[in-house]
Amino acid sequence: NCSEHLYAQIQLGKPKLIICNGSPVSWEMIRLFPPVIEVEDYKSLTSYHTGVSFKNGDSHQFWIVLSGFIGRIDDWSKRRLGLEIEEILDKEQILY
């Protein structure tokens, strides 16, 4: 329902990283911003680099991190998620 708002926020804020909280959000992000790499099974995908082209001709590249509902995942998965996010932050030189 909010895809127009999401596109506007991405165009305005130019995020380098979007973290999805929950499976429905993750699947919607895959639908809206499909991975530019070939992945046979999206269920094994945990993060990817993608981009969007806007109606005015601008474009923007960013990372998407896919996660189950963070409040319900086990400690090992939380740590794996944290390490993956830290790796992207380092790669993109985002201060944390």
Side-chain angles (χ1 to χ4, degrees):
N1 293 343
C2 303
S3 61
E4 297 278 332
H5 180 70
L6 176 62
Y7 278 95
Q9 291 297 304
I10 291 172
Q11 188 173 17
L12 180 67
K14 304 272 193 279
K16 292 183 180 181
L17 172 64
I18 296 174
I19 301 170
C20 302
N21 187 16
S23 182
V25 173
S26 296
W27 284 111
E28 184 65 10
M29 292 299 280
I30 289 171
R31 185 185 73 77
L32 293 172
F33 308 103
V36 292
I37 58 171
E38 297 222 7
V39 177
E40 291 181 13
D41 184 7
Y42 285 145
K43 292 180 181 180
S44 66
L45 189 64
T46 57
S47 66
Y48 62 98
H49 194 250
T50 191
V52 61
S53 295
F54 302 104
K55 294 175 185 174
N56 67 358
D58 289 347
S59 63
H60 181 64
Q61 299 287 312
F62 54 95
W63 284 90
I64 295 178
V65 174
L66 307 169
S67 171
F69 182 64
I70 294 171
R72 293 189 183 144
I73 61 176
D74 60 70
D75 289 341
W76 186 90
S77 297
K78 285 179 190 174
R79 184 63 190 139
R80 183 218 39 90
L81 178 64
L83 291 172
E84 190 167 352
I85 291 168
E86 287 173 9
E87 183 178 317
I88 293 169
L89 293 174
D90 289 342
K91 190 179 296 186
E92 293 296 323
Q93 299 179 336
I94 301 170
L95 300 176
Y96 58 97

